[in-house]
Amino acid sequence: MLKKMLLLAVMLLVSAQPSLAAGKTLRVAHDATWPPMEYLDANKQLVGYSVDYIDAIAKETGITVEHRNVAWAGIFAELGAGRTDVIASSVTITKDRMNAMDFSEPYYTVQQAVVTRKDAEFKTVDDLKGKRLGAQISTTGFFAGRALNRDIKSYDAVGYAMEDLKNGNLDAVLCDDPVAADFALQGGSNADQLKIAFVITDAETEHYGFAVRKGDKETLEILNRGIKAVQEKGIEAELIKKWIGK
Amino acid sequence: MADTPNIRIEVSDGASIPHPGDKGLVTAWSIAFFGALALLVFLITVMADPFWDILQFVADGLIITFQVTIFAIMLSLPIGLLTGLGRLSTNKKINLLASTYVEVIRGIPLMAQLFFLYYGMGKIFGVGGVPAAVIAMSVCYGAYMGEVFRAGISAISHGQTEAARSLGFSARQTMRLVILPQAMRTILPPVGNEFIAMLKDTSLVSVLALSDLLRRGTEYAGQYFNYFEVFALVSLIYLIITLILSKLVSIMEARLNYYDRR
């Protein structure tokens, strides 16, 4: 009898664990200019891989989330100022960033892709030296490009860089490979004029993490628990298939 | 020159010009200028980490800022003069053309004009970043300055024109030799003010991915996340430059009005 009661108590505790977090609302910021990871669909709804991923975490952990569209240039300041709790916006975990914020476990892996016009013939990183490069400001593509050319141009959104590439003001744009694929290979004028010249494979693989305020262990714990559940239940694989398709 | 009107055209989008007659403003200018300068020196010497580092990173952005400002000034002055004259022209077509230009341009935000010219029309014109920024700013400020020129010219008493014409000057000579030289005295200060406003507005060209002062600052902050320090420093630099310019305008104005002070 005692054993049974103990077991019941343990079971209650275990089942009650998600509800510790339940009811908590996390404000999640996305910069919706980064398809297919996070962007606005035709109905002005925030959609994409990271949006679905956060929703799946919310479902698994019993929290509620409030998605917000925040411009990239201000997204880290928004976290620091306490106006948002989580950045779910394809943020690669880097040393510089870890000094300023904490990261969840990785939830996706990318490499830097080099997008050019159809007629260009760039094959390696060396071909890019001295060329007119562009990238979205403070992205890992921008940092990789600046190592090659100090005068790389920084855009507020990667879409402007692609436009400038098409207009002939740039020779190459650097960005995460799923985004490059979305811009360069999807239909419309981009696909007619742009291509992925190559993917920088000799650099370290980049891992996306959800960023939280430094020291915010509570949020981090919820996210990591959610990521684990999402991965173990095969939801992550489904989301990758749905949004990136490989 | 007994007829010279004693008016001052106030434009509010530049920094205030510290007129010698306005003691309060002169004091305010000194406080702002020397305060900003002292703060800048303090930050980059005593708090060299990170301020000296930031300053070195953003310094080359100043070149673009000045480049765009200077070229835009040179281009917007003739546009402004022609527009001002066009707005006063008795030729209906010219008048309508100038008025429509002013009406359309003043109704569109500079930011939208920059986006349209650079990204929207990029396919057709294929102009690079600096030329696009200079063109957009000159076209925009040409319209603003047109209004300043118009106000300055129409402030000159009609008696001047009548006197010149009765002495045998042609309409063109009257404008060039009699009206414009007098109008310059009232026009120059507000035009100087427009220059200052223009320098500040060059910060908008950073949306064209031009590496101006503000864009360099954003790039630095985007890597090291010290937004407070970066934008404090960038603001200080802008402030010091605009304050120097506003002082220059006030000195120029004082010289132009030398005879009025007697």
Side-chain angles (χ1 to χ4, degrees):
Chain A
M1 185 65 185
L2 193 71
K3 252 186 190 169
K4 263 191 181 165
M5 277 178 75
L6 258 175
L7 197 70
L8 195 74
V10 167
M11 273 172 65
L12 265 174
L13 260 176
V14 169
S15 65
Q17 258 221 322
S19 62
L20 278 179
K24 188 179 167 69
T25 302
L26 288 181
R27 294 162 299 174
V28 184
H30 313 262
D31 168 33
T33 62
W34 204 243
M37 310 317 272
E38 48 272 332
Y39 62 102
L40 291 184
D41 69 5
N43 304 316
K44 294 180 221 163
Q45 293 301 306
L46 259 167
V47 295
Y49 177 78
S50 75
V51 180
D52 275 4
Y53 207 112
I54 286 287
D55 283 340
I57 289 175
K59 209 175 149 201
E60 294 300 318
T61 55
I63 54 161
T64 45
V65 288
E66 190 185 298
H67 296 283
R68 292 172 59 224
N69 186 6
V70 177
W72 180 252
I75 206 163
F76 297 108
E78 195 83 352
L79 182 72
R83 283 190 291 263
T84 196
D85 303 306
V86 181
I87 302 175
S89 200
S90 305
V91 183
T92 297
I93 305 169
T94 67
K95 248 189 206 149
D96 279 333
R97 287 174 181 159
M98 279 166 81
N99 288 332
M101 60 201 88
D102 284 339
F103 281 97
S104 71
E105 294 298 320
Y107 69 93
Y108 193 67
T109 301
V110 293
Q111 290 175 307
Q112 289 306 314
V114 176
V115 180
T116 63
R117 282 183 301 279
K118 274 258 157 74
D119 52 6
E121 286 180 16
F122 299 138
K123 298 267 183 321
T124 66
V125 171
D126 285 334
D127 295 341
L128 298 178
K129 282 182 181 151
K131 293 290 185 297
R132 297 172 302 167
L133 307 179
Q136 181 168 325
I137 190 167
S138 66
T139 57
T140 42
F142 175 72
F143 298 134
R146 199 167 61 186
L148 299 168
N149 181 0
R150 169 78 171 65
D151 285 327
I152 181 174
K153 289 173 89 181
S154 64
Y155 296 80
D156 287 333
V158 71
Y160 294 130
M162 296 294 178
E163 210 52 37
D164 230 10
L165 178 64
K166 282 194 288 176
N167 288 343
N169 289 319
L170 289 179
D171 298 316
V173 171
L174 290 91
C175 64
D176 299 347
D177 55 346
V179 180
D182 196 275
F183 272 100
L185 308 179
Q186 302 290 309
S189 68
N190 279 352
D192 298 338
Q193 298 171 46
L194 303 178
K195 66 173 180 186
I196 296 180
F198 62 93
V199 173
I200 303 178
T201 47
D202 50 355
E204 254 178 79
T205 315
E206 297 184 10
H207 301 283
Y208 285 173
F210 298 117
V212 303
R213 256 184 308 286
K214 202 139 191 69
D216 187 357
K217 292 207 171 63
E218 193 188 347
T219 308
L220 209 55
E221 190 274 326
I222 297 170
L223 291 174
N224 284 337
R225 187 149 44 85
I227 291 171
K228 197 161 173 252
V230 169
Q231 287 173 342
E232 280 170 0
K233 289 190 179 176
I235 303 169
E236 185 184 89
E238 276 170 39
L239 291 181
I240 290 176
K241 207 170 142 202
K242 174 181 173 191
W243 292 105
I244 298 115
K246 66 176 181 190
Chain B
M1 293 258 204
D3 250 13
T4 308
N6 191 20
I7 62 148
R8 180 172 284 148
I9 306 163
E10 294 290 356
V11 186
S12 55
D13 39 3
S16 288
I17 307 298
H19 305 291
D22 190 339
K23 289 278 179 278
L25 203 53
V26 174
T27 317
W29 183 90
S30 303
I31 292 172
F33 181 71
F34 293 108
L37 207 58
L39 188 56
L40 181 72
V41 171
F42 172 79
L43 290 178
I44 60 177
T45 51
V46 180
M47 299 172 77
D49 177 37
F51 286 101
W52 177 242
D53 205 36
I54 301 171
L55 186 68
Q56 281 181 307
F57 190 90
V58 302
D60 66 343
L62 266 179
I63 298 172
I64 298 277
T65 296
F66 278 123
Q67 217 177 1
V68 173
T69 310
I70 290 166
F71 283 127
I73 284 173
M74 292 190 328
L75 204 59
S76 63
L77 270 181
I79 296 178
L81 176 61
L82 287 178
T83 308
L85 290 174
R87 293 266 284 141
L88 291 166
S89 173
T90 44
N91 181 322
K92 280 222 171 74
K93 276 179 196 159
I94 293 174
N95 196 313
L96 193 64
L97 185 72
S99 303
T100 311
Y101 160 64
V102 171
E103 208 64 3
V104 169
I105 293 299
R106 286 182 44 147
I108 305 171
L110 179 54
M111 185 80 119
Q113 292 181 34
L114 284 167
F115 272 114
F116 180 69
L117 188 74
Y118 190 66
Y119 294 113
M121 312 259 289
K123 200 92 242 165
I124 309 158
F125 288 142
V127 282
V130 173
V134 169
I135 293 169
M137 296 213 52
S138 317
V139 167
C140 185
Y141 272 85
Y144 295 161
M145 284 192 203
E147 288 305 272
V148 175
F149 276 98
R150 186 182 68 97
I153 293 166
S154 52
I156 303 298
S157 156
H158 196 62
Q160 296 282 321
T161 311
E162 285 168 354
R165 293 307 299 273
S166 59
L167 285 171
F169 284 76
S170 71
R172 191 169 291 203
Q173 282 173 323
T174 306
M175 182 55 76
R176 192 163 58 85
L177 299 169
V178 179
I179 308 297
L180 276 182
Q182 296 183 68
M184 278 307 153
R185 296 172 63 195
T186 33
I187 288 170
L188 276 177
V191 162
N193 205 307
E194 289 292 306
F195 291 165
I196 297 170
M198 207 184 232
L199 184 124
K200 289 194 301 174
D201 274 356
T202 55
S203 59
L204 293 177
V205 308
S206 64
V207 299
L208 308 187
L210 276 182
S211 316
D212 73 322
L213 182 59
L214 184 65
R215 166 78 21 185
R216 280 286 188 237
T218 333
E219 284 175 1
Y220 190 94
Q223 184 167 7
Y224 301 109
F225 310 107
N226 38 9
Y227 296 92
F228 179 84
E229 291 84 353
V230 169
F231 293 123
L233 190 77
V234 166
S235 304
L236 265 181
I237 296 173
Y238 275 121
L239 180 63
I240 290 170
I241 296 169
T242 51
L243 287 174
I244 291 173
L245 287 179
S246 68
K247 191 67 173 180
L248 288 178
V249 173
S250 87
I251 291 170
M252 184 181 75
E253 191 184 8
R255 288 212 175 154
L256 282 169
N257 292 329
Y258 181 74
Y259 295 102
D260 284 357
R261 286 208 305 268
R262 299 214 176 162

